[in-house]
Amino acid sequence: MSRTPRKSPGSASINVRGIVQGVGFRPFVYKLATEHNLKGWVYNTSEDVRIEVEGDAGAIEQFVRRLQTDAPPLSHIENVTTEYHPLRGYRSFEIRNSRAQKGKYQLISPDIATCGACLAELLDPQDRRYRYPFTNCTTCGPRFTIIEDMPYDRPSTTMRHFRMCPQCQAEYDDPLDRRFHAQPNACPVCGPRVELVDSRGNSMTPSPPGCDAISAAGQLLREGSIIALKGLGGFLLACDATNDTVVGELRRRKKRSSKPFAVMVTGVEEARRHCHISRQEEELLTSAQSPIVLTRRRADSSISGEVAPGLQFLGIMLPYTPLHHILLRDAGLPLVMTSGNLSEEPIVRDNGEALNRLGGIADYFLRHDRDIYSSYDDSVATAHRDTSQLIRRARSYAPYPVRLPFQARQVLGCGAEEKNTFCLTKDNYAFVSQHIGDMENAETLEHFEGTISLYRRLFRVQPEIVAYDLHPDYLATRYALELGDSGVELVPVQHHHAHIASCMADNGLEGPVIGVAFDGTGMGADGNIWGGEFLVADYNSYSRAGHLEYVSLPGGAAAIKRPYRTAIGHVLTALGEDTLDDVIALSRSSVVPAPGEAKERQGQPASIGQVTDVEIGVIKRQIERSINSPLGSSMGRLFDAVSALLGIRTVIDYEGQAAVDLEMAAHACLAGAPLPVVASPARRDASPSHEAICGNGAGYPFRIVEAGPIRVIKLSDLLSAIIEDLRLGVPAGWISVRFHDSLARMIADMCRLIGQDTGIGQVALSGGVFQNRLLSAKAVRALESSGFCVFTHSQVPCNDGGISLGQAVIANFAAGTGA
C-alpha cells in the first residue's frame, strides 16, 4: 500500500485496484464505513474502486487497514493508495453509480461456484428460490461468461434482458443485503428459465417452462438417455456414469473412443466412494473454483470402466451451479459431464447452435434463456506437492491474470497449435485466456479470434508486439503473421524457450534458470523436432545446453499416431537393424499379451510383432533414405516408443495416450495391482521383485556425451536394457517404473553438469511430459537431493496451454532487438 503524507486528519481519498468488482466489495465498503461512523461515498470505475471517507482520524486508519485484512473472500486486492485532504462535509455514506473511463480497465472475477448461503436457499422448500437454478449473490455465480464490457454493471451483461421484480430489486438496492448490486440477481418470477426439449427442439415441459424440466431430465438420465445441459460457459453432455452401455454410446456418438470423461458427484462423501481423496484434493474439489480434479480411482467404485478406460485416475468434480445441484439430486446418480462438442471442436455455447451441432449426440437438451457471452470449458487440476497444478485452465481461473515481475508492454502471445491459449500483457499483468483448444479447424480459429477481441476490449489492450511459434504451419502462427501487415512488431519465439519462460513467469522469477522442457513436439532452431531439452534461459535469451539424441520419426505425424512406428525408429536409429529384427522376433514369440492392447484394435497391430513385414520394410526404407522421417529429440516420443515396445499402446486415439498408459502401468505396479507377465521363450515364469528390478531406484543405464558446447543423452544403453528385461519376461509395469527412475536420474545428472558449468542453482520444469505425476515427483526429489531449487507450474499448465505466457514475456524483452 502506497500513501502520500497526511494533509488533514479528517478526510481521505482511497483507490483500490484488483478484483474488486462483482465480488461484493462495495457493500463491504459500505458496511465497514457505517461500522466506523464514516461519511462519504464509494463507486466503481473502469479502472478501480474509488472511496472517499471522513470522520475520526483513528477510524479512518482502521478503515483503510481493514479494507485489506477483512476484504470479501473472492476479492483480490493488488494495490491501495490513500491521499488525505481537508474535510468536505459529507453527511452520510452512499454507494454511487459506476463511471466509465476511456482507456481504463479493471480486473474481472471469473465465474464462481455456488456458495453455501445460496445452496441453503436452493434446498429450502420454504425459500422463494427453492430449486431455482439461477440462484446467486455477490459471492457466487456467473461473472466473466456474461460480461460484454466494463465496468461490471447489469446493462453490460447478458442479464440486461431480465428486468428485476420488486423483491429482487429491493435486494439489489439494499447495501446490507448480500445481493446488493449482484448483477445476475434473479428469481423464478423475473429471471432466466429452464426448458427441456428433444433433439428437434420440441418442448418436453409444460408452458411456461420451469424447474419441473430438471426433474424430468433426472428421470431421463436414470432411464439411460444422453442429455445436453447448458452450463456456465457452454453445453455439457451428461449421462449415467455407472452404465457401460450408455457411456459407450456417448463415446460412439461423440467420436471419442477412449479419451477419459469427467464425472460429477453430489459431494465429497460420494466422491470418496469412488476415489481416494487426499486433503489437498478435497480442498480443490470444494474450492470456489471447483475444477475437475484427477484422483486415484477406488477398486470398488461403481463408475463404469468406460469412463476412463485403462486409467488409474478419475476426473471428479462437484456441482458448481444451482442447476447442477438440483439435477444431481434428482438423478440420484454420478453423471458423466463432458464438453458439449464433437471431438476437437470448441464447446457449444448457444441454444440454436446446440441443436445443430449436438443433435446427433444428445437425446434431449436441458437449456435456458440466459445467454453466454464467452464460452468456457471446465478447468482440470491435480494436487501436487502440497499445491495444485492446472492441466487445463478455463472456468473459474481465467481471466484472472498472472502478475509479472516487470512492467510489461502491450503484447499478444498467440500460443501453440494444441491446447491453445493466448496471452495479452499490460502493466504488470499477463492475461492468459481460457483454454481455446486444438487449432485444427475453422470453428476453433473463430473462437480464438473472437476471444482475443473480447480480452482486448475488456482490458483495453492494443498490442504493439505479437509473438508466435516458429512452426510455420500452426494456425496461431499464420494469424500472427497476418497481423504483421497492420504494423505491429512480430517476434518469433522458440517453443521450448517459451515453456521455460512460462514457468519462470508463473513463479515470478527473473532468471537465469536451467530449464528442462520435455514434451512431444516443438520446432527447433535447427529445423528439427525438439522435445527433450535442457536450456540455460532467462526472458532475454536461451542456449541449448543438452538434449536427447536425435532419432528418426518415420512418417512424421504418422509416427505420433502410431507409436509402434516411433518404437521402430528409436530401435533402428540407436541399436541398428539386427536388434530391431530381434525385437520383432521376440514380440512375435510372446505367448501372453501385455497390459493395454491385448488384441488388435480396428485392424491396427496390438504389438510390434503384429506389424506386417511389408510395413516394416517401408519404415526401414523411410529411415534409410530420410523420406518423411524428421529427426526428433522428443521425450514425449521416447515415452511412446517404450510404451509400444512393451505392448502397452501401439496406436493412439488421443494425444499423449501411449505415455499416459505407460505411466498407469507403473502406478498399478507400485499400488500392488496384478499385472500380466510379458513372457518369452527364455523366461515364461519371470516375476521378479521390485527391488531386484529397480536396484533401489537406480533405473536403466544411459550415457551423456559432449558434442561441442552441447551435451547429448545417448539412448542405446537404456533401450538395450529395456529389451533385455523384455527378453527375461519382466512385467511391463516394473519396466515402466524403472524407466521413470532412469529419467529422473537423467534429469538430475544433466542439470548437475550444467550447474557446474554455469553456477545456476534454479531449475524450471515445463512441458506436457511433466503432467506425468510419477516422473514429476521423482524428478523434483532427485533435483532437490542434488541441491537445486526446483520450480514447477501452478497458475498456468505445464503443457502447451502455458506457451502463450512464455511467448508474451519473451517478446517484451526481445522486441526492438531484431530477435
Side-chain angles (χ1 to χ4, degrees):
M1 181 181 74
S2 62
R3 175 180 299 171
T4 58
R6 182 186 301 186
K7 297 179 180 179
S8 174
S11 186
S13 295
I14 305 161
N15 289 8
V16 185
R17 291 211 67 184
I19 294 184
V20 286
Q21 293 191 27
V23 293
F25 196 80
R26 286 178 298 169
F28 158 71
V29 170
Y30 179 93
K31 293 174 186 177
L32 195 61
T34 302
E35 181 179 333
H36 288 284
N37 195 30
L38 299 174
K39 315 301 181 185
W41 47 258
V42 59
Y43 64 79
N44 285 339
T45 76
S46 303
E47 180 181 25
D48 53 15
V49 170
R50 299 190 179 179
I51 306 165
E52 280 208 7
V53 289
E54 56 184 38
D56 180 77
I60 292 176
E61 292 281 359
Q62 292 183 48
F63 173 84
V64 172
R65 176 178 54 80
R66 291 182 63 189
L67 280 176
Q68 299 170 89
T69 60
D70 298 359
L74 298 184
S75 65
H76 186 92
I77 295 176
E78 294 278 346
N79 188 46
V80 177
T81 60
T82 304
E83 181 177 342
Y84 292 91
H85 50 72
L87 292 173
R88 295 180 178 172
Y90 297 117
R91 297 186 177 183
S92 63
F93 193 89
E94 62 182 7
I95 298 176
R96 295 183 174 178
N97 291 331
S98 300
R99 301 182 185 181
Q101 295 172 293
K102 187 175 181 180
K104 301 296 184 179
Y105 70 98
Q106 174 62 270
L107 302 186
I108 296 172
S109 170
D111 295 32
I112 299 299
T114 305
C115 71
C118 284
L119 181 59
E121 293 175 340
L122 186 73
L123 302 179
D124 181 359
Q126 305 305 312
D127 194 277
R128 75 186 189 95
R129 288 188 172 88
Y130 175 58
R131 288 179 59 88
Y132 183 57
F134 304 98
T135 300
N136 67 87
C137 68
T138 53
T139 305
C140 68
R143 297 291 189 275
F144 175 68
T145 53
I146 64 171
I147 294 174
E148 298 179 19
D149 205 346
M150 294 297 283
Y152 176 55
D153 289 314
R154 196 173 181 112
S156 297
T157 74
T158 60
M159 283 297 295
R160 66 180 177 275
H161 305 295
F162 300 95
R163 184 185 180 93
M164 283 182 281
C165 67
Q167 282 182 283
C168 286
Q169 188 68 53
E171 294 169 332
Y172 184 90
D173 293 335
D174 183 357
L176 299 179
D177 193 285
R178 81 173 199 280
R179 292 191 170 92
F180 175 73
H181 281 218
Q183 305 306 334
N185 189 32
C187 75
V189 173
C190 62
R193 298 185 178 187
V194 171
E195 67 171 341
L196 181 67
V197 301
D198 64 19
S199 59
R200 295 183 178 181
N202 299 314
S203 179
M204 303 290 294
T205 55
S207 183
C211 288
D212 285 346
I214 305 177
S215 58
Q219 178 62 34
L220 289 168
L221 288 165
R222 288 195 299 274
E223 294 171 357
S225 294
I226 297 170
I227 291 182
L229 167 72
K230 189 174 183 181
L232 275 178
F235 277 81
L236 299 175
L237 292 165
C239 73
D240 178 359
T242 67
N243 189 318
D244 290 351
T245 301
V246 175
V247 178
E249 180 62 15
L250 176 58
R251 289 198 174 281
R252 186 190 69 79
R253 296 184 191 180
K254 190 174 164 66
K255 300 179 181 178
R256 183 168 168 169
S257 57
S258 55
K259 192 173 183 179
F261 290 138
V263 174
M264 183 177 284
V265 296
T266 53
V268 172
E269 290 310 309
E270 185 178 359
R272 291 190 190 282
R273 292 198 289 272
H274 301 289
C275 296
H276 301 280
I277 309 292
S278 68
R279 177 183 58 81
Q280 292 92 344
E281 288 165 344
E282 180 177 350
E283 290 175 357
L284 264 180
L285 285 167
T286 58
S287 68
Q289 290 74 34
S290 192
I292 298 167
V293 181
L294 301 183
T295 57
R296 185 181 292 277
R297 181 187 178 118
R298 293 179 60 94
D300 58 352
S301 169
S302 62
I303 290 175
S304 168
E306 290 292 313
V307 168
L311 302 185
Q312 305 288 317
F313 294 87
L314 279 176
I316 293 286
M317 62 176 159
L318 303 187
Y320 55 84
T321 72
L323 180 55
H324 293 143
H325 280 286
I326 300 168
L327 181 63
L328 264 291
R329 285 165 171 78
D330 286 355
L333 298 164
L335 298 178
V336 165
M337 286 282 181
T338 187
S339 299
N341 56 6
L342 283 171
S343 291
E344 314 310 330
E345 290 185 359
I347 190 171
V348 172
R349 181 180 67 181
D350 302 321
N351 291 340
E353 178 191 16
L355 287 174
N356 291 332
R357 288 175 54 192
L358 303 179
I361 302 177
D363 301 308
Y364 301 95
F365 291 76
L366 189 61
R367 65 188 190 184
H368 57 75
D369 55 354
R370 185 181 70 200
D371 289 339
I372 298 168
Y373 194 76
S374 185
S375 56
Y376 238 4
D377 284 281
D378 288 315
S379 295
V380 183
T382 63
H384 184 67
R385 297 181 71 210
D386 296 326
T387 185
S388 61
Q389 186 176 72
L390 289 169
I391 303 299
R392 183 170 71 197
R393 184 180 188 269
R395 173 184 55 78
S396 297
Y397 290 92
Y400 187 73
V402 175
R403 192 176 180 92
L404 299 174
F406 58 87
Q407 194 73 9
R409 300 167 70 180
Q410 297 193 34
V411 176
L412 168 63
C414 292
E417 184 82 347
E418 294 183 339
K419 301 177 178 65
N420 177 271
T421 63
F422 62 83
C423 176
L424 290 165
T425 62
K426 182 177 183 179
D427 298 330
N428 59 345
Y429 298 121
F431 298 98
V432 181
S433 76
Q434 68 266 38
H435 171 80
I436 300 295
D438 293 348
M439 299 282 281
E440 297 179 351
N441 51 59
E443 293 85 359
T444 308
L445 179 60
E446 181 181 355
H447 176 34
F448 171 80
E449 293 174 339
T451 311
I452 288 177
S453 296
L454 174 64
Y455 273 63
R456 287 180 58 177
R457 183 169 67 252
L458 292 178
F459 301 116
R460 312 304 196 245
V461 179
Q462 294 294 330
E464 54 189 302
I465 306 161
V466 175
Y468 60 93
D469 193 272
L470 294 179
H471 200 298
D473 294 331
Y474 285 0
L475 282 180
T477 296
R478 293 178 182 176
Y479 172 85
L481 295 176
E482 290 175 2
L483 292 180
D485 297 336
S486 64
V488 299
E489 181 176 356
L490 297 178
V491 176
V493 178
Q494 199 281 321
H495 189 89
H496 301 94
H497 185 201
H499 266 308
I500 299 307
S502 173
C503 187
M504 291 172 60
D506 196 335
N507 289 279
L509 303 177
E510 296 188 39
V513 299
I514 299 171
V516 184
F518 283 179
D519 63 4
T521 301
M523 178 66 75
D526 59 2
N528 292 320
I529 297 172
W530 292 6
E533 309 307 311
F534 295 84
L535 309 179
V536 173
D538 57 20
Y539 298 133
N540 287 284
S541 63
Y542 76 96
S543 62
R544 195 183 193 196
H547 61 86
L548 293 183
E549 69 171 306
Y550 284 125
V551 299
S552 295
L553 302 174
I560 297 173
K561 295 179 180 178
R562 302 174 194 170
Y564 67 84
R565 296 180 70 95
T566 301
I568 291 171
H570 274 72
V571 173
L572 193 58
T573 302
L575 299 172
E577 188 169 352
D578 289 345
T579 302
L580 175 61
D581 291 341
D582 290 344
V583 168
I584 293 168
L586 175 65
S587 178
R588 289 175 177 173
S589 66
S590 297
V591 295
V592 181
E597 298 184 11
K599 59 183 180 180
E600 290 189 11
R601 300 174 48 262
Q602 300 175 346
Q604 300 289 351
S607 69
I608 289 178
Q610 291 184 11
V611 181
T612 67
D613 290 336
V614 171
E615 185 171 6
I616 290 171
V618 170
I619 293 171
K620 287 180 178 179
R621 287 192 296 274
Q622 282 185 300
I623 294 173
E624 290 166 2
R625 301 174 187 177
S626 299
I627 300 172
N628 192 22
S629 293
L631 295 176
S633 61
S634 166
M635 180 59 76
R637 299 292 79 82
L638 178 59
F639 266 88
D640 289 353
V642 173
S643 186
L645 280 172
L646 303 187
I648 290 175
R649 175 66 59 176
T650 59
V651 179
I652 65 169
D653 298 315
Y654 60 89
E655 188 263 334
Q657 186 179 18
V660 168
D661 286 355
L662 182 62
E663 180 194 358
M664 290 303 107
H667 280 296
C669 216
L670 293 171
L675 283 166
V677 172
V678 183
S680 70
R683 287 283 303 278
R684 295 180 184 274
D685 60 346
S687 185
S689 69
H690 178 208
E691 291 74 21
I693 295 169
C694 292
N696 221 5
Y700 294 117
F702 55 87
R703 289 179 296 124
I704 299 176
V705 300
E706 293 188 7
I710 299 175
R711 292 183 172 90
V712 177
I713 299 169
K714 293 291 188 177
L715 300 175
S716 56
D717 292 348
L718 182 144
L719 292 172
S720 293
I722 289 173
I723 293 167
E724 179 60 22
D725 270 358
L726 273 175
R727 195 185 312 279
L728 294 173
V730 175
W734 289 125
I735 295 176
S736 178
V737 171
R738 193 171 183 185
F739 174 67
H740 282 79
D741 287 339
S742 306
L743 298 187
R745 186 162 55 86
M746 185 184 292
I747 292 168
D749 287 357
M750 183 68 94
C751 288
R752 222 171 6 246
L753 292 170
I754 298 170
Q756 290 168 4
D757 292 343
T758 63
I760 298 172
Q762 298 184 133
V763 175
L765 304 180
S766 191
V769 168
F770 287 110
Q771 293 173 142
N772 181 316
R773 293 184 177 197
L774 188 59
L775 176 62
S776 184
K778 287 177 177 291
V780 169
R781 214 161 32 239
L783 286 165
E784 289 179 342
S785 296
S786 298
F788 287 103
C789 186
V790 185
F791 296 92
T792 58
H793 287 269
S794 60
Q795 298 182 78
V796 298
C798 65
N799 59 42
D800 281 5
I803 282 284
S804 64
L805 172 61
Q807 290 173 340
V809 295
I810 289 169
N812 266 277
F813 289 84
T817 66

